[in-house]
Amino acid sequence: MSYNGSEDTWRLVQERCSACQYLSPSRSCAAHGKQQMAVIKHKQHVVGEGISNIMEVIIPGLYQDDTCVVWCPMLGMGDLADAEAGNGESQTLITRKPVWNEQVQSLVLDFKGRNIVSSAKNFQLALRQKPQHVICQYGKLSPTNFGLDFRYPLSVIQAFGAAVSTIFWT
């Protein structure tokens, strides 16, 4: 996993994809950009009197048989960050935006029964086409513990990558 100099774009890659795993290193995606697992973009947005950290996560899409698109440069796939939305080859998850609560003078987000401590790193992700359907949530449980809940279509490594990418959020 790596990030750019401004710390607002992260890339999660795998050394070799399933299509290249038995090829020599020079003929596999390992030498030509690696398999892209996710691109995570960050920005900030003013909500009420607060500033919310916003995340967009682009992941490979799904085929009709529910297998994942392999985003390998050796298979003719370009940069995942430039993938066209809605073509089925990629999926975009977006941050559910918190709302400003006058009573507590803070941004709030409903974690549905989870006892979450206020933190700039708390987030929920939903598919762009279903913004009310939470796919991933990351929240502070105590001063030293965070909880990460996720479901299909995110994999463990993609959900963990999204959580790690909040390291610079304040």
Side-chain angles (χ1 to χ4, degrees):
M1 188 160 179
S2 62
Y3 56 88
N4 65 355
S6 58
E7 302 166 351
D8 63 357
T9 302
W10 293 68
R11 292 183 179 276
L12 179 62
V13 297
Q14 182 173 313
E15 192 68 25
R16 289 186 187 198
C17 69
S18 57
C20 293
Q21 66 185 354
Y22 300 113
L23 296 175
S24 67
S26 64
R27 293 181 46 217
S28 74
C29 54
H32 300 278
K34 302 182 174 115
Q35 177 187 0
Q36 296 179 58
M37 304 293 293
V39 174
I40 304 164
K41 298 177 182 181
H42 296 232
K43 61 184 175 182
Q44 292 187 326
H45 181 74
V46 175
V47 178
E49 296 178 32
I51 296 177
S52 175
N53 291 305
I54 304 294
M55 180 186 309
E56 178 183 79
V57 180
I58 305 165
I59 61 174
L62 300 171
Y63 292 117
Q64 294 290 345
D65 64 358
D66 284 336
T67 59
C68 187
V69 172
V70 176
W71 210 274
C72 170
M74 299 304 289
L75 298 176
M77 303 303 265
D79 188 353
L80 184 57
D82 298 331
E84 291 183 33
N87 68 359
E89 289 186 337
S90 67
Q91 295 184 84
T92 302
L93 290 94
I94 57 171
T95 304
R96 292 192 63 224
K97 293 183 179 108
V99 294
W100 182 258
N101 184 309
E102 284 295 332
Q103 186 177 1
V104 294
Q105 291 291 300
S106 181
L107 293 171
V108 295
L109 192 58
D110 185 8
F111 277 82
K112 305 284 186 208
R114 281 282 216 168
N115 190 13
I116 301 296
V117 177
S118 179
S119 172
K121 294 174 175 48
N122 294 348
F123 69 82
Q124 290 179 333
L125 294 173
L127 289 169
R128 177 168 278 153
Q129 63 271 27
K130 293 182 179 179
Q132 297 305 314
H133 184 73
V134 175
I135 299 295
C136 177
Q137 64 182 17
Y138 180 66
K140 189 171 186 175
L141 303 174
S142 71
T144 58
N145 293 310
F146 282 80
L148 177 63
D149 302 318
F150 65 95
R151 66 174 84 178
Y152 181 82
L154 278 181
S155 69
V156 172
I157 193 67
Q158 290 166 327
F160 185 70
V164 168
S165 77
T166 65
I167 194 168
F168 298 117
W169 282 7
T170 55

